[in-house]
C-alpha cells in the first residue's frame, strides 16, 4: 500500500455511523464464504475489464425509467411540465463511460448469491448505480463552470449552451437533488435506506471539501505546492465518490454488516482512486481531446497536480523560475513552456515508472487479501484502468 493511505486523515474522514452495521436487506444477504475466491494473476486483469462491460446495455436501459419517474414528480412543481428538468438529466447524466454506476451493479452481482439476482433486486441495483451517475453529473457540471471548461464528453459543456449560462449552477443542484429523490422513491422501504442516505451525504461532504482544496490551491504560488497537499485533495475530491461509494453502496444493498469489511475495502479502494486521479492528471496534459472528450486546462488553471508537484521535486532553480512565470496563465505559449519544462526532466518516464510501480503494489495487495470482498471486485476496477485513454 503506497504512502497516501498512511496519512492519518484518510482513516478519520468517514464517521462511524456510515461504516457501522445496518439491518439486512430483506431479500439480499451476504453469502457464506464470500471471500473464498481463486487467486488471479496480473495477466487476467484485462479479461476482467472486458467482462465488466457486459452489463452496459442493461444499465443504460434503466435510465429512461428514472427520467420518467423524476419528471412525473417535477411536473407538480414546474410550469413547463418538467421539460427543462428532463433536458438537464439527459444532457448531463447519461453520456460518458458510466463506470461508477456499472461498477456498483457489477460489484453487487459479484457479492450476492445467484438466487438473490431477482428482477426486483437487479432493478434496485441499477437504480442505485444511476444515483451515483447523477452525483457524477452534478460534480462535473459545476466543475466545468468553475474551471471555465469548453467541452465535456465530446460536446459543449452544459453552461456553454446559449440558453443556459450560469443558470447551469441551479441545474447542477437539481442533479444532486434528484439522486435523493430516487433513493426516497425506491429505497425507503428497505432497512439499508438510512445507511445509503448517510453514505451519499458523507461522500458529497468529503468531495465538496476536496473541490474546495483544489480551487484554493489554484490561487497559491505554484512553488508552494507539496505532495501532502496533492494527496489530500486527490483522495477527497475523487477517490471517495469514484471508488469507495460504488462498492459501499453494493455492500449495503447486499446486506453487509461487518464494519471491518467496510474498512478493509475502503483502504484499498482509496489507493485505487489515487491511482485513477494521477492517470487523470496525465490525460489532462497529454491525452487526446478527441478520445478524452475534454480539453485539458490544469496548467492554465494553475491546478495542484501530480505532474507539477513531481516536477518541483526534480527541477533546478532556473526551471522553477520559468514555471512560476508560466504556470496558471491562460496563454497557449505559457502552456507549451510548462510542457517543455516537463519534457526537460523526462516527466513521462517518471510517470510511467510511477504508474507501473503503483499498479504492481496494488495488485500484490489484492493477491494477499483473505476474506472480505471477492478479489474479482478489485480486478474489475484495475482492469478498467489498464491502458486507460479517457
Amino acid at each position: 500500500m503506497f504512502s497516501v493511505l498512511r496519512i492519518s486523515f484518510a482513516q478519520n474522514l468517514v464517521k462511524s455511523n456510515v461504516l457501522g452495521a445496518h439491518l439486512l436487506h430483506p431479500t439480499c444477504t451476504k453469502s457464506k464464504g464470500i471471500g473464498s475466491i481463486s487467486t488471479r494473476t496480473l495477466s487476467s486483469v484485462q479479461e476482467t475489464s472486458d467482462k465488466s462491460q457486459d452489463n452496459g446495455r442493461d444499465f443504460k436501459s434503466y435510465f429512461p425509467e428514472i427520467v420518467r419517474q423524476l419528471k412525473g414528480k417535477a411536473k407538480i412543481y414546474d410550469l413547463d411540465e418538467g421539460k427543462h428538468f428532463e433536458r438537464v438529466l439527459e444532457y448531463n447524466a447519461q453520456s460518458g463511460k458510466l463506470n461508477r454506476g456499472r461498477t456498483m451493479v457489477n460489484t453487487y452481482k459479484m457479492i450476492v448469491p445467484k438466487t438473490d439476482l431477482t428482477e426486483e433486486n437487479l432493478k434496485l441495483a441499477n437504480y442505485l448505480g444511476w444515483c451515483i451517475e447523477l452525483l457524477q453529473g452534478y460534480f462535473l457540471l459545476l466543475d466545468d463552470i468553475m474551471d471555465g471548461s469548453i467541452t465535456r464528453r465530446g460536446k459543449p459543456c452544459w453552461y456553454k449552451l446559449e440558453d443556459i449560462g450560469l443558470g447551469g449552477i441551479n441545474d447542477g443542484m437539481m442533479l444532486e437533488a434528484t439522486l435523493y429523490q430516487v433513493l426516497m422513491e425506491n429505497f425507503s422501504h428497505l432497512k439499508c435506506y438510512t445507511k445509503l442516505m448517510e453514505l451519499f451525504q458523507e461522500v458529497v461532504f468529503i468531495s465538496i471539501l476536496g473541490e474546495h482544496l483544489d480551487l484554493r490551491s489554484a490561487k497559491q504560488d505554484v512553488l508552494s505546492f507539496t505532495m501532502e497537499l496533492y494527496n489530500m485533495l486527490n483522495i477527497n475530491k475523487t477517490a471517495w465518490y469514484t471508488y469507495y461509494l460504488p462498492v459501499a453502496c453494493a455492500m449495503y444493498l447486499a446486506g453487509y454488516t461487518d464494519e471491518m469489511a467496510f474498512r478493509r475495502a475502503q483502504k484499498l479502494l482509496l489507493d485505487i482512486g489515487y491511482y485513477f486521479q494521477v492517470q487523470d492528471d496525465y490525460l489532462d496534459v497529454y491525452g487526446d481531446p478527441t478520445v478524452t472528450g475534454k480539453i485539458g486546462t490544469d496548467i492554465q488553471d494553475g491546478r495542484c497536480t501530480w505532474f507539477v508537484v513531481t516536477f518541483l521535486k526534480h527541477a533546478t532553480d532556473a526551471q522553477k523560475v520559468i514555471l512560476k512565470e508560466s504556470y496558471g496563465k491562460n496563454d497557449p505559449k505559457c502552456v507549451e513552456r510548462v510542457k517543455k519544462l516537463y519534457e526537460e526532466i523526462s516527466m513521462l518516464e517518471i510517470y510511467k515508472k510511477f504508474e507501473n510501480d503503483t499498479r504492481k503494489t496494488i495488485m500484490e495487495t489484492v493477491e494477499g487479501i483473505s476474506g472480505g470482498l471477492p478479489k474479482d471486485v478489485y480486478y474489475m476496477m484495475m482492469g478498467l484502468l489498464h491502458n486507460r485513454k479517457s
Side-chain angles (χ1 to χ4, degrees):
M1 204 66 64
F2 51 90
S3 61
V4 64
L5 289 182
R6 291 197 289 270
I7 298 173
S8 60
F9 79 87
Q11 299 172 348
N12 296 321
L13 282 171
V14 172
K15 299 177 183 178
S16 59
N17 66 337
V18 174
L19 293 177
H22 69 48
L23 297 172
L24 292 179
H25 185 293
T27 57
C28 301
T29 58
K30 179 174 177 288
S31 63
K32 296 180 180 178
I34 200 85
S36 58
I37 188 165
S38 60
T39 301
R40 303 285 295 279
T41 64
L42 291 172
S43 63
S44 66
V45 173
Q46 188 59 49
E47 178 185 355
T48 305
S49 174
D50 294 339
K51 289 181 179 179
S52 73
Q53 301 300 317
D54 290 347
N55 191 52
R57 187 174 181 181
D58 288 338
F59 181 67
K60 282 190 171 184
S61 72
Y62 288 90
F63 186 68
E65 298 176 17
I66 291 173
V67 172
R68 284 195 296 272
Q69 185 181 93
L70 291 169
K71 185 180 178 182
K73 187 161 188 178
K75 286 180 180 180
I76 302 172
Y77 308 100
D78 189 356
L79 291 177
D80 78 346
E81 298 187 337
K83 291 177 182 177
H84 178 75
F85 190 80
E86 180 180 26
R87 183 183 170 206
V88 171
L89 291 170
E90 292 183 342
Y91 195 94
N92 294 284
Q94 66 175 335
S95 54
K97 298 183 291 295
L98 307 176
N99 281 340
R100 293 165 181 81
R102 287 173 172 166
T103 293
M104 187 272 141
V105 175
N106 289 333
T107 299
Y108 177 77
K109 288 181 174 182
M110 290 178 184
I111 65 179
V112 299
K114 289 185 178 180
T115 53
D116 282 343
L117 296 177
T118 63
E119 182 178 350
E120 178 60 23
N121 286 345
L122 287 174
K123 175 183 175 181
L124 288 172
N126 279 277
Y127 274 33
L128 193 51
W130 274 110
C131 286
I132 299 171
E133 290 299 332
L134 289 168
L135 180 63
Q136 164 75 341
Y138 158 61
F139 284 150
L140 294 185
L141 193 159
L142 294 186
D143 193 60
D144 287 341
I145 295 174
M146 290 183 283
D147 290 350
S149 298
I150 300 170
T151 61
R152 169 69 68 180
R153 294 167 169 172
K155 58 187 179 182
C157 294
W158 176 249
Y159 83 99
K160 283 290 187 180
L161 299 183
E162 188 175 347
D163 62 330
I164 302 300
L166 291 181
I169 296 172
N170 190 69
D171 295 335
M173 293 188 290
M174 191 184 297
L175 283 171
E176 187 201 8
T178 60
L179 82 86
Y180 298 114
Q181 290 296 316
V182 174
L183 285 173
M184 184 172 64
E185 292 292 331
N186 300 282
F187 295 85
S188 59
H189 66 291
L190 301 181
K191 294 178 180 178
C192 62
Y193 172 63
T194 299
K195 288 297 178 183
L196 289 172
M197 289 289 285
E198 290 175 347
L199 175 64
F200 272 97
Q201 290 170 354
E202 186 76 1
V203 169
V204 168
F205 178 74
I206 293 169
S207 300
I208 288 174
L209 288 177
E211 179 66 27
H212 166 69
L213 282 173
D214 191 26
L215 293 170
R216 188 177 67 186
S217 69
K219 299 177 182 179
Q220 293 181 208
D221 182 341
V222 64
L223 301 185
S224 71
F225 290 169
T226 65
M227 191 58 75
E228 181 182 12
L229 170 63
Y230 176 72
N231 289 344
M232 184 171 288
L233 67 86
N234 175 324
I235 291 291
N236 291 4
K237 180 183 176 182
T238 304
W240 285 97
Y241 91 92
T242 300
Y243 284 92
Y244 180 67
L245 177 62
V247 175
C249 281
M251 292 172 73
Y252 279 132
L253 190 61
Y256 274 69
T257 60
D258 180 12
E259 181 177 326
M260 186 55 64
F262 281 89
R263 291 193 182 279
R264 280 198 298 261
Q266 176 196 118
K267 200 171 184 184
L268 183 50
L269 291 167
L270 293 184
D271 258 355
I272 297 174
Y274 184 94
Y275 174 50
F276 167 84
Q277 182 57 51
V278 175
Q279 284 186 330
D280 250 20
D281 292 349
Y282 163 79
L283 291 171
D284 189 273
V285 179
Y286 297 105
D288 181 351
T290 64
V291 177
T292 64
K294 186 179 188 296
I295 299 171
T297 61
D298 283 350
I299 292 175
Q300 48 266 57
D301 290 343
R303 296 293 194 226
C304 179
T305 69
W306 183 89
F307 273 80
V308 72
V309 172
T310 302
F311 171 82
L312 289 171
K313 288 184 175 181
H314 296 83
T316 65
D317 289 342
Q319 288 171 326
K320 289 179 181 178
V321 169
I322 298 173
L323 179 73
K324 184 176 174 65
E325 293 172 348
S326 308
Y327 204 75
K329 305 286 179 62
N330 192 15
D331 179 343
K333 291 182 179 179
C334 289
V335 173
E336 286 306 312
R337 201 172 294 138
V338 172
K339 290 183 179 181
K340 179 66 175 176
L341 288 173
Y342 289 171
E343 185 180 331
E344 288 176 5
I345 67 161
S346 302
M347 274 297 300
L348 284 178
E349 291 181 19
I350 296 171
Y351 167 74
K352 289 300 180 184
K353 184 179 186 307
F354 168 86
E355 185 180 38
N356 291 334
D357 290 349
T358 302
R359 183 178 185 80
K360 181 180 178 183
T361 299
I362 291 174
M363 295 303 295
E364 287 175 349
T365 301
V366 173
E367 292 292 339
I369 289 175
S370 60
L373 292 175
K375 294 180 182 180
D376 271 6
V377 171
Y378 303 110
Y379 288 127
M380 171 184 65
M381 292 182 168
M382 292 303 290
L384 291 171
L385 297 181
H386 187 57
N387 292 326
R388 179 172 165 239
K389 304 296 183 185
S390 64

